[in-house]
Amino acid sequence: MATSILIVEDEQDIRELLEFTFLRDGYDVIAAETAEIALQKIDIKLPDMIVVDWMLPGMDGIDLAKRLRRDELTADLPIVMLTARGEEADKLKSFAGGIDDYITKPFSPRELLARVKALLRRSGGPKNNLIEASGICLDLNSYRITINGNEIQISPTEYKLLEVLMRNPDRAFERSQLLDRVWGRQVYVEERTVDVHMLRLRKILKPHGLDATLQTVRGIGYRFTSVS
Amino acid sequence: MATSILIVEDEQDIRELLEFTFLRDGYDVIAAETAEIALQKIDIKLPDMIVVDWMLPGMDGIDLAKRLRRDELTADLPIVMLTARGEEADKLKSFAGGIDDYITKPFSPRELLARVKALLRRSGGPKNNLIEASGICLDLNSYRITINGNEIQISPTEYKLLEVLMRNPDRAFERSQLLDRVWGRQVYVEERTVDVHMLRLRKILKPHGLDATLQTVRGIGYRFTSVS
DNA sequence: CCCATATATGACAATACCGTGAAAATATTG
DNA sequence: CAATATTTTCACGGTATTGTCATATATGGG
């Protein structure tokens, strides 16, 4: 799957220039005219990075960035801001921490690509295809899961759930966070459904004495903790 | 099937010289005038190697190479770059990792062929090799398949599908990935068609007790795993 | 020790996914 | 062009998976 970039830009010609530039360089491009539309598109599919104009009708680029930063799912999404010359000096400083890079208009496509590429390299390393803890081993390549070397059977949803938990060991997830990450945002399922799937995972791990790795955090949700 | 080479060159006389050179030496040749056309042709059929001119109208050779490198399907396609004398020193260095070899114009056909052959040999080109696992043996030269030494009959699509799977043992492919690799990207066929071909492959392997090598990965797709 | 709240668990109906045969469409061969 | 082989689509049925609910059990505060 190609790297996907979300472009948020209200001026049609600039938006099209951006689309063309990224498409030509092999990215998947999603475009939005406003920050509001951008948020919708993000809910449908999380992009790998966002290029957003500073000036937008309605919610502006800074507001969008702030909002994305506040949201746990998008908190570390790389954001590149487009600004007109003269704006950057004062205003951007007031929001130093929020964006990852900015480019002043007019910009050259070449420069934009170089920045974006550098940013992606910086923020998203190559994905590891083995997750291991406490003898549980997820092979993301073959979609196999083994416990102490023995392959075990697991259903797709349980697999994804376990993957999310094991990618973040010792981190407590709220049910809603797990729903977002495993089920996606566009589907609505009851929060209690998470409990049922945790139960099923524990049943699978129990014969190997590893059900204690899936811990309940009362009042919050669940957590994966490796045991020895 | 012969090794196929995609030539990307806008100057007609050079393009024809290249075509003639490779055809005479027994290669299948696909030609494209621009990088954009080249991408289309690649979508139709993935070549074994690409010879591309540095200077092209529209997307240039470097951009093409970059894009191919980024795409998982073409990431390790051997690329030979043609450059005019004097260009190579500075610019090519800035893109050292992306191409596999380059040749300065004017070049002798003899030298070009030698380089291409060396590159194909180096990158494990499809010259005279076999894929074998669990007694299933694909002879990529003669397009034959034998199981425990006995030649068996198989249709072209089944062959290609089995080849893709056996080239990547233990890797789970989504149906869409198999469609890209076996059918090409530009054709549209239903994802479920993959199922039918997997069914046929299993029927072929079943009498030899090898149908278990083709495993269903529920919710994802399929996987080849050698059994002993 | 009891209550209020949160989580665990088993059961069940709905659903999604896959295998399969067969017909229709397409390509290949003589 | 006819005959044959291959490929694609479709639809049906079986089965694993999934979401929800009802009920049981646990937890922690007062």
Side-chain angles (χ1 to χ4, degrees), chain A residues 131-152:
Chain A
I131 303 175
E132 196 278 334
S134 298
I136 308 169
C137 184
L138 299 194
D139 184 336
L140 302 174
N141 211 33
S142 64
Y143 274 89
R144 277 208 189 87
I145 170 170
T146 58
I147 296 182
N148 299 323
N150 307 317
E151 179 167 358
I152 62 162

mmCIF file with all atom_site columns, all heavy atoms in Angstrom, chain A residues 131-152:
data_model
loop_
_atom_site.group_PDB
_atom_site.id
_atom_site.type_symbol
_atom_site.label_atom_id
_atom_site.label_alt_id
_atom_site.label_comp_id
_atom_site.label_asym_id
_atom_site.label_entity_id
_atom_site.label_seq_id
_atom_site.pdbx_PDB_ins_code
_atom_site.Cartn_x
_atom_site.Cartn_y
_atom_site.Cartn_z
_atom_site.occupancy
_atom_site.B_iso_or_equiv
_atom_site.pdbx_formal_charge
_atom_site.auth_seq_id
_atom_site.auth_comp_id
_atom_site.auth_asym_id
_atom_site.auth_atom_id
_atom_site.pdbx_PDB_model_num
ATOM 1   N N   . ILE A 1 131 ? 6.228  -9.241  16.240 1.00 0.00 ? 131 ILE A N   1
ATOM 2   C CA  . ILE A 1 131 ? 5.972  -8.714  17.573 1.00 0.00 ? 131 ILE A CA  1
ATOM 3   C C   . ILE A 1 131 ? 6.047  -9.879  18.531 1.00 0.00 ? 131 ILE A C   1
ATOM 4   O O   . ILE A 1 131 ? 5.377  -10.893 18.326 1.00 0.00 ? 131 ILE A O   1
ATOM 5   C CB  . ILE A 1 131 ? 4.586  -8.058  17.655 1.00 0.00 ? 131 ILE A CB  1
ATOM 6   C CG1 . ILE A 1 131 ? 4.448  -6.952  16.613 1.00 0.00 ? 131 ILE A CG1 1
ATOM 7   C CG2 . ILE A 1 131 ? 4.348  -7.499  19.047 1.00 0.00 ? 131 ILE A CG2 1
ATOM 8   C CD1 . ILE A 1 131 ? 3.075  -6.347  16.564 1.00 0.00 ? 131 ILE A CD1 1
ATOM 9   N N   . GLU A 1 132 ? 6.865  -9.758  19.555 1.00 0.00 ? 132 GLU A N   1
ATOM 10  C CA  . GLU A 1 132 ? 7.048  -10.883 20.458 1.00 0.00 ? 132 GLU A CA  1
ATOM 11  C C   . GLU A 1 132 ? 7.059  -10.406 21.889 1.00 0.00 ? 132 GLU A C   1
ATOM 12  O O   . GLU A 1 132 ? 7.607  -9.350  22.213 1.00 0.00 ? 132 GLU A O   1
ATOM 13  C CB  . GLU A 1 132 ? 8.364  -11.609 20.130 1.00 0.00 ? 132 GLU A CB  1
ATOM 14  C CG  . GLU A 1 132 ? 8.487  -12.994 20.742 1.00 0.00 ? 132 GLU A CG  1
ATOM 15  C CD  . GLU A 1 132 ? 8.942  -12.944 22.191 1.00 0.00 ? 132 GLU A CD  1
ATOM 16  O OE1 . GLU A 1 132 ? 9.601  -11.974 22.568 1.00 0.00 ? 132 GLU A OE1 1
ATOM 17  O OE2 . GLU A 1 132 ? 8.573  -13.877 22.946 1.00 0.00 ? 132 GLU A OE2 1
ATOM 18  N N   . ALA A 1 133 ? 6.403  -11.142 22.743 1.00 0.00 ? 133 ALA A N   1
ATOM 19  C CA  . ALA A 1 133 ? 6.458  -10.874 24.179 1.00 0.00 ? 133 ALA A CA  1
ATOM 20  C C   . ALA A 1 133 ? 5.919  -12.082 24.919 1.00 0.00 ? 133 ALA A C   1
ATOM 21  O O   . ALA A 1 133 ? 4.903  -12.658 24.526 1.00 0.00 ? 133 ALA A O   1
ATOM 22  C CB  . ALA A 1 133 ? 5.642  -9.627  24.523 1.00 0.00 ? 133 ALA A CB  1
ATOM 23  N N   . SER A 1 134 ? 6.621  -12.472 25.950 1.00 0.00 ? 134 SER A N   1
ATOM 24  C CA  . SER A 1 134 ? 6.182  -13.584 26.803 1.00 0.00 ? 134 SER A CA  1
ATOM 25  C C   . SER A 1 134 ? 5.945  -14.878 26.023 1.00 0.00 ? 134 SER A C   1
ATOM 26  O O   . SER A 1 134 ? 5.068  -15.666 26.375 1.00 0.00 ? 134 SER A O   1
ATOM 27  C CB  . SER A 1 134 ? 4.896  -13.218 27.548 1.00 0.00 ? 134 SER A CB  1
ATOM 28  O OG  . SER A 1 134 ? 5.131  -12.121 28.386 1.00 0.00 ? 134 SER A OG  1
ATOM 29  N N   . GLY A 1 135 ? 6.684  -15.063 24.965 1.00 0.00 ? 135 GLY A N   1
ATOM 30  C CA  . GLY A 1 135 ? 6.516  -16.291 24.191 1.00 0.00 ? 135 GLY A CA  1
ATOM 31  C C   . GLY A 1 135 ? 5.416  -16.216 23.153 1.00 0.00 ? 135 GLY A C   1
ATOM 32  O O   . GLY A 1 135 ? 5.280  -17.097 22.322 1.00 0.00 ? 135 GLY A O   1
ATOM 33  N N   . ILE A 1 136 ? 4.640  -15.149 23.190 1.00 0.00 ? 136 ILE A N   1
ATOM 34  C CA  . ILE A 1 136 ? 3.625  -14.942 22.160 1.00 0.00 ? 136 ILE A CA  1
ATOM 35  C C   . ILE A 1 136 ? 4.277  -14.198 21.006 1.00 0.00 ? 136 ILE A C   1
ATOM 36  O O   . ILE A 1 136 ? 4.881  -13.150 21.206 1.00 0.00 ? 136 ILE A O   1
ATOM 37  C CB  . ILE A 1 136 ? 2.447  -14.116 22.697 1.00 0.00 ? 136 ILE A CB  1
ATOM 38  C CG1 . ILE A 1 136 ? 1.914  -14.721 23.984 1.00 0.00 ? 136 ILE A CG1 1
ATOM 39  C CG2 . ILE A 1 136 ? 1.355  -14.003 21.649 1.00 0.00 ? 136 ILE A CG2 1
ATOM 40  C CD1 . ILE A 1 136 ? 0.929  -13.819 24.692 1.00 0.00 ? 136 ILE A CD1 1
ATOM 41  N N   . CYS A 1 137 ? 4.145  -14.742 19.814 1.00 0.00 ? 137 CYS A N   1
ATOM 42  C CA  . CYS A 1 137 ? 4.825  -14.148 18.675 1.00 0.00 ? 137 CYS A CA  1
ATOM 43  C C   . CYS A 1 137 ? 3.850  -13.948 17.535 1.00 0.00 ? 137 CYS A C   1
ATOM 44  O O   . CYS A 1 137 ? 3.265  -14.893 17.018 1.00 0.00 ? 137 CYS A O   1
ATOM 45  C CB  . CYS A 1 137 ? 5.987  -15.046 18.239 1.00 0.00 ? 137 CYS A CB  1
ATOM 46  S SG  . CYS A 1 137 ? 6.972  -14.345 16.922 1.00 0.00 ? 137 CYS A SG  1
ATOM 47  N N   . LEU A 1 138 ? 3.666  -12.675 17.134 1.00 0.00 ? 138 LEU A N   1
ATOM 48  C CA  . LEU A 1 138 ? 2.834  -12.368 15.979 1.00 0.00 ? 138 LEU A CA  1
ATOM 49  C C   . LEU A 1 138 ? 3.740  -12.157 14.777 1.00 0.00 ? 138 LEU A C   1
ATOM 50  O O   . LEU A 1 138 ? 4.606  -11.288 14.810 1.00 0.00 ? 138 LEU A O   1
ATOM 51  C CB  . LEU A 1 138 ? 2.018  -11.090 16.208 1.00 0.00 ? 138 LEU A CB  1
ATOM 52  C CG  . LEU A 1 138 ? 1.012  -11.012 17.340 1.00 0.00 ? 138 LEU A CG  1
ATOM 53  C CD1 . LEU A 1 138 ? 0.109  -9.805  17.140 1.00 0.00 ? 138 LEU A CD1 1
ATOM 54  C CD2 . LEU A 1 138 ? 0.196  -12.273 17.408 1.00 0.00 ? 138 LEU A CD2 1
ATOM 55  N N   . ASP A 1 139 ? 3.526  -12.912 13.737 1.00 0.00 ? 139 ASP A N   1
ATOM 56  C CA  . ASP A 1 139 ? 4.235  -12.702 12.485 1.00 0.00 ? 139 ASP A CA  1
ATOM 57  C C   . ASP A 1 139 ? 3.305  -11.960 11.552 1.00 0.00 ? 139 ASP A C   1
ATOM 58  O O   . ASP A 1 139 ? 2.387  -12.531 10.986 1.00 0.00 ? 139 ASP A O   1
ATOM 59  C CB  . ASP A 1 139 ? 4.649  -14.048 11.889 1.00 0.00 ? 139 ASP A CB  1
ATOM 60  C CG  . ASP A 1 139 ? 5.483  -13.869 10.627 1.00 0.00 ? 139 ASP A CG  1
ATOM 61  O OD1 . ASP A 1 139 ? 5.364  -12.807 9.988  1.00 0.00 ? 139 ASP A OD1 1
ATOM 62  O OD2 . ASP A 1 139 ? 6.248  -14.775 10.284 1.00 0.00 ? 139 ASP A OD2 1
ATOM 63  N N   . LEU A 1 140 ? 3.555  -10.661 11.391 1.00 0.00 ? 140 LEU A N   1
ATOM 64  C CA  . LEU A 1 140 ? 2.628  -9.833  10.621 1.00 0.00 ? 140 LEU A CA  1
ATOM 65  C C   . LEU A 1 140 ? 2.683  -10.158 9.142  1.00 0.00 ? 140 LEU A C   1
ATOM 66  O O   . LEU A 1 140 ? 1.805  -9.792  8.379  1.00 0.00 ? 140 LEU A O   1
ATOM 67  C CB  . LEU A 1 140 ? 2.956  -8.355  10.845 1.00 0.00 ? 140 LEU A CB  1
ATOM 68  C CG  . LEU A 1 140 ? 2.903  -7.935  12.314 1.00 0.00 ? 140 LEU A CG  1
ATOM 69  C CD1 . LEU A 1 140 ? 3.386  -6.510  12.471 1.00 0.00 ? 140 LEU A CD1 1
ATOM 70  C CD2 . LEU A 1 140 ? 1.500  -8.091  12.857 1.00 0.00 ? 140 LEU A CD2 1
ATOM 71  N N   . ASN A 1 141 ? 3.729  -10.836 8.747  1.00 0.00 ? 141 ASN A N   1
ATOM 72  C CA  . ASN A 1 141 ? 3.889  -11.184 7.353  1.00 0.00 ? 141 ASN A CA  1
ATOM 73  C C   . ASN A 1 141 ? 3.011  -12.361 6.955  1.00 0.00 ? 141 ASN A C   1
ATOM 74  O O   . ASN A 1 141 ? 2.316  -12.313 5.949  1.00 0.00 ? 141 ASN A O   1
ATOM 75  C CB  . ASN A 1 141 ? 5.358  -11.521 7.102  1.00 0.00 ? 141 ASN A CB  1
ATOM 76  C CG  . ASN A 1 141 ? 5.764  -11.162 5.711  1.00 0.00 ? 141 ASN A CG  1
ATOM 77  O OD1 . ASN A 1 141 ? 5.262  -10.201 5.155  1.00 0.00 ? 141 ASN A OD1 1
ATOM 78  N ND2 . ASN A 1 141 ? 6.653  -11.951 5.153  1.00 0.00 ? 141 ASN A ND2 1
ATOM 79  N N   . SER A 1 142 ? 3.050  -13.375 7.757  1.00 0.00 ? 142 SER A N   1
ATOM 80  C CA  . SER A 1 142 ? 2.285  -14.574 7.420  1.00 0.00 ? 142 SER A CA  1
ATOM 81  C C   . SER A 1 142 ? 0.960  -14.621 8.163  1.00 0.00 ? 142 SER A C   1
ATOM 82  O O   . SER A 1 142 ? 0.183  -15.539 7.964  1.00 0.00 ? 142 SER A O   1
ATOM 83  C CB  . SER A 1 142 ? 3.095  -15.826 7.763  1.00 0.00 ? 142 SER A CB  1
ATOM 84  O OG  . SER A 1 142 ? 3.317  -15.894 9.163  1.00 0.00 ? 142 SER A OG  1
ATOM 85  N N   . TYR A 1 143 ? 0.715  -13.632 8.996  1.00 0.00 ? 143 TYR A N   1
ATOM 86  C CA  . TYR A 1 143 ? -0.505 -13.607 9.800  1.00 0.00 ? 143 TYR A CA  1
ATOM 87  C C   . TYR A 1 143 ? -0.610 -14.836 10.681 1.00 0.00 ? 143 TYR A C   1
ATOM 88  O O   . TYR A 1 143 ? -1.680 -15.398 10.825 1.00 0.00 ? 143 TYR A O   1
ATOM 89  C CB  . TYR A 1 143 ? -1.764 -13.491 8.921  1.00 0.00 ? 143 TYR A CB  1
ATOM 90  C CG  . TYR A 1 143 ? -2.101 -12.083 8.595  1.00 0.00 ? 143 TYR A CG  1
ATOM 91  C CD1 . TYR A 1 143 ? -1.564 -11.481 7.470  1.00 0.00 ? 143 TYR A CD1 1
ATOM 92  C CD2 . TYR A 1 143 ? -2.936 -11.339 9.407  1.00 0.00 ? 143 TYR A CD2 1
ATOM 93  C CE1 . TYR A 1 143 ? -1.846 -10.173 7.149  1.00 0.00 ? 143 TYR A CE1 1
ATOM 94  C CE2 . TYR A 1 143 ? -3.232 -10.031 9.102  1.00 0.00 ? 143 TYR A CE2 1
ATOM 95  C CZ  . TYR A 1 143 ? -2.683 -9.456  7.975  1.00 0.00 ? 143 TYR A CZ  1
ATOM 96  O OH  . TYR A 1 143 ? -2.971 -8.152  7.675  1.00 0.00 ? 143 TYR A OH  1
ATOM 97  N N   . ARG A 1 144 ? 0.529  -15.265 11.201 1.00 0.00 ? 144 ARG A N   1
ATOM 98  C CA  . ARG A 1 144 ? 0.524  -16.419 12.077 1.00 0.00 ? 144 ARG A CA  1
ATOM 99  C C   . ARG A 1 144 ? 0.800  -15.976 13.491 1.00 0.00 ? 144 ARG A C   1
ATOM 100 O O   . ARG A 1 144 ? 1.502  -15.008 13.721 1.00 0.00 ? 144 ARG A O   1
ATOM 101 C CB  . ARG A 1 144 ? 1.631  -17.404 11.688 1.00 0.00 ? 144 ARG A CB  1
ATOM 102 C CG  . ARG A 1 144 ? 1.261  -18.320 10.567 1.00 0.00 ? 144 ARG A CG  1
ATOM 103 C CD  . ARG A 1 144 ? 2.039  -19.616 10.723 1.00 0.00 ? 144 ARG A CD  1
ATOM 104 N NE  . ARG A 1 144 ? 1.873  -20.448 9.556  1.00 0.00 ? 144 ARG A NE  1
ATOM 105 C CZ  . ARG A 1 144 ? 2.639  -20.363 8.479  1.00 0.00 ? 144 ARG A CZ  1
ATOM 106 N NH1 . ARG A 1 144 ? 3.609  -19.481 8.434  1.00 0.00 ? 144 ARG A NH1 1
ATOM 107 N NH2 . ARG A 1 144 ? 2.439  -21.169 7.462  1.00 0.00 ? 144 ARG A NH2 1
ATOM 108 N N   . ILE A 1 145 ? 0.279  -16.739 14.419 1.00 0.00 ? 145 ILE A N   1
ATOM 109 C CA  . ILE A 1 145 ? 0.594  -16.452 15.805 1.00 0.00 ? 145 ILE A CA  1
ATOM 110 C C   . ILE A 1 145 ? 1.047  -17.746 16.457 1.00 0.00 ? 145 ILE A C   1
ATOM 111 O O   . ILE A 1 145 ? 0.422  -18.794 16.301 1.00 0.00 ? 145 ILE A O   1
ATOM 112 C CB  . ILE A 1 145 ? -0.610 -15.839 16.535 1.00 0.00 ? 145 ILE A CB  1
ATOM 113 C CG1 . ILE A 1 145 ? -0.357 -15.766 18.028 1.00 0.00 ? 145 ILE A CG1 1
ATOM 114 C CG2 . ILE A 1 145 ? -1.875 -16.602 16.259 1.00 0.00 ? 145 ILE A CG2 1
ATOM 115 C CD1 . ILE A 1 145 ? -1.400 -14.958 18.732 1.00 0.00 ? 145 ILE A CD1 1
ATOM 116 N N   . THR A 1 146 ? 2.177  -17.671 17.123 1.00 0.00 ? 146 THR A N   1
ATOM 117 C CA  . THR A 1 146 ? 2.707  -18.844 17.801 1.00 0.00 ? 146 THR A CA  1
ATOM 118 C C   . THR A 1 146 ? 2.921  -18.522 19.273 1.00 0.00 ? 146 THR A C   1
ATOM 119 O O   . THR A 1 146 ? 3.223  -17.386 19.636 1.00 0.00 ? 146 THR A O   1
ATOM 120 C CB  . THR A 1 146 ? 4.056  -19.287 17.199 1.00 0.00 ? 146 THR A CB  1
ATOM 121 O OG1 . THR A 1 146 ? 4.972  -18.207 17.304 1.00 0.00 ? 146 THR A OG1 1
ATOM 122 C CG2 . THR A 1 146 ? 3.907  -19.687 15.757 1.00 0.00 ? 146 THR A CG2 1
ATOM 123 N N   . ILE A 1 147 ? 2.742  -19.553 20.091 1.00 0.00 ? 147 ILE A N   1
ATOM 124 C CA  . ILE A 1 147 ? 3.026  -19.421 21.512 1.00 0.00 ? 147 ILE A CA  1
ATOM 125 C C   . ILE A 1 147 ? 4.067  -20.471 21.860 1.00 0.00 ? 147 ILE A C   1
ATOM 126 O O   . ILE A 1 147 ? 3.838  -21.669 21.676 1.00 0.00 ? 147 ILE A O   1
ATOM 127 C CB  . ILE A 1 147 ? 1.766  -19.628 22.359 1.00 0.00 ? 147 ILE A CB  1
ATOM 128 C CG1 . ILE A 1 147 ? 0.754  -18.520 22.046 1.00 0.00 ? 147 ILE A CG1 1
ATOM 129 C CG2 . ILE A 1 147 ? 2.125  -19.622 23.840 1.00 0.00 ? 147 ILE A CG2 1
ATOM 130 C CD1 . ILE A 1 147 ? -0.505 -18.592 22.862 1.00 0.00 ? 147 ILE A CD1 1
ATOM 131 N N   . ASN A 1 148 ? 5.218  -20.005 22.278 1.00 0.00 ? 148 ASN A N   1
ATOM 132 C CA  . ASN A 1 148 ? 6.349  -20.899 22.538 1.00 0.00 ? 148 ASN A CA  1
ATOM 133 C C   . ASN A 1 148 ? 6.625  -21.795 21.339 1.00 0.00 ? 148 ASN A C   1
ATOM 134 O O   . ASN A 1 148 ? 6.941  -22.970 21.476 1.00 0.00 ? 148 ASN A O   1
ATOM 135 C CB  . ASN A 1 148 ? 6.081  -21.738 23.793 1.00 0.00 ? 148 ASN A CB  1
ATOM 136 C CG  . ASN A 1 148 ? 5.915  -20.860 25.027 1.00 0.00 ? 148 ASN A CG  1
ATOM 137 O OD1 . ASN A 1 148 ? 6.600  -19.849 25.159 1.00 0.00 ? 148 ASN A OD1 1
ATOM 138 N ND2 . ASN A 1 148 ? 5.006  -21.238 25.896 1.00 0.00 ? 148 ASN A ND2 1
ATOM 139 N N   . GLY A 1 149 ? 6.477  -21.252 20.184 1.00 0.00 ? 149 GLY A N   1
ATOM 140 C CA  . GLY A 1 149 ? 6.805  -21.989 18.973 1.00 0.00 ? 149 GLY A CA  1
ATOM 141 C C   . GLY A 1 149 ? 5.659  -22.758 18.353 1.00 0.00 ? 149 GLY A C   1
ATOM 142 O O   . GLY A 1 149 ? 5.739  -23.152 17.193 1.00 0.00 ? 149 GLY A O   1
ATOM 143 N N   . ASN A 1 150 ? 4.589  -22.951 19.089 1.00 0.00 ? 150 ASN A N   1
ATOM 144 C CA  . ASN A 1 150 ? 3.461  -23.710 18.547 1.00 0.00 ? 150 ASN A CA  1
ATOM 145 C C   . ASN A 1 150 ? 2.440  -22.767 17.931 1.00 0.00 ? 150 ASN A C   1
ATOM 146 O O   . ASN A 1 150 ? 1.992  -21.826 18.581 1.00 0.00 ? 150 ASN A O   1
ATOM 147 C CB  . ASN A 1 150 ? 2.787  -24.526 19.655 1.00 0.00 ? 150 ASN A CB  1
ATOM 148 C CG  . ASN A 1 150 ? 3.777  -25.393 20.397 1.00 0.00 ? 150 ASN A CG  1
ATOM 149 O OD1 . ASN A 1 150 ? 4.635  -26.030 19.777 1.00 0.00 ? 150 ASN A OD1 1
ATOM 150 N ND2 . ASN A 1 150 ? 3.698  -25.382 21.717 1.00 0.00 ? 150 ASN A ND2 1
ATOM 151 N N   . GLU A 1 151 ? 2.093  -23.038 16.696 1.00 0.00 ? 151 GLU A N   1
ATOM 152 C CA  . GLU A 1 151 ? 1.110  -22.188 16.044 1.00 0.00 ? 151 GLU A CA  1
ATOM 153 C C   . GLU A 1 151 ? -0.255 -22.402 16.678 1.00 0.00 ? 151 GLU A C   1
ATOM 154 O O   . GLU A 1 151 ? -0.654 -23.537 16.945 1.00 0.00 ? 151 GLU A O   1
ATOM 155 C CB  . GLU A 1 151 ? 1.039  -22.497 14.551 1.00 0.00 ? 151 GLU A CB  1
ATOM 156 C CG  . GLU A 1 151 ? 0.009  -21.634 13.839 1.00 0.00 ? 151 GLU A CG  1
ATOM 157 C CD  . GLU A 1 151 ? 0.151  -21.702 12.334 1.00 0.00 ? 151 GLU A CD  1
ATOM 158 O OE1 . GLU A 1 151 ? 1.074  -22.378 11.847 1.00 0.00 ? 151 GLU A OE1 1
ATOM 159 O OE2 . GLU A 1 151 ? -0.672 -21.068 11.643 1.00 0.00 ? 151 GLU A OE2 1
ATOM 160 N N   . ILE A 1 152 ? -0.943 -21.311 16.908 1.00 0.00 ? 152 ILE A N   1
ATOM 161 C CA  . ILE A 1 152 ? -2.286 -21.429 17.453 1.00 0.00 ? 152 ILE A CA  1
ATOM 162 C C   . ILE A 1 152 ? -3.268 -20.727 16.532 1.00 0.00 ? 152 ILE A C   1
ATOM 163 O O   . ILE A 1 152 ? -2.906 -19.881 15.729 1.00 0.00 ? 152 ILE A O   1
ATOM 164 C CB  . ILE A 1 152 ? -2.401 -20.825 18.869 1.00 0.00 ? 152 ILE A CB  1
ATOM 165 C CG1 . ILE A 1 152 ? -2.101 -19.339 18.804 1.00 0.00 ? 152 ILE A CG1 1
ATOM 166 C CG2 . ILE A 1 152 ? -1.484 -21.533 19.826 1.00 0.00 ? 152 ILE A CG2 1
ATOM 167 C CD1 . ILE A 1 152 ? -2.584 -18.593 19.994 1.00 0.00 ? 152 ILE A CD1 1
#
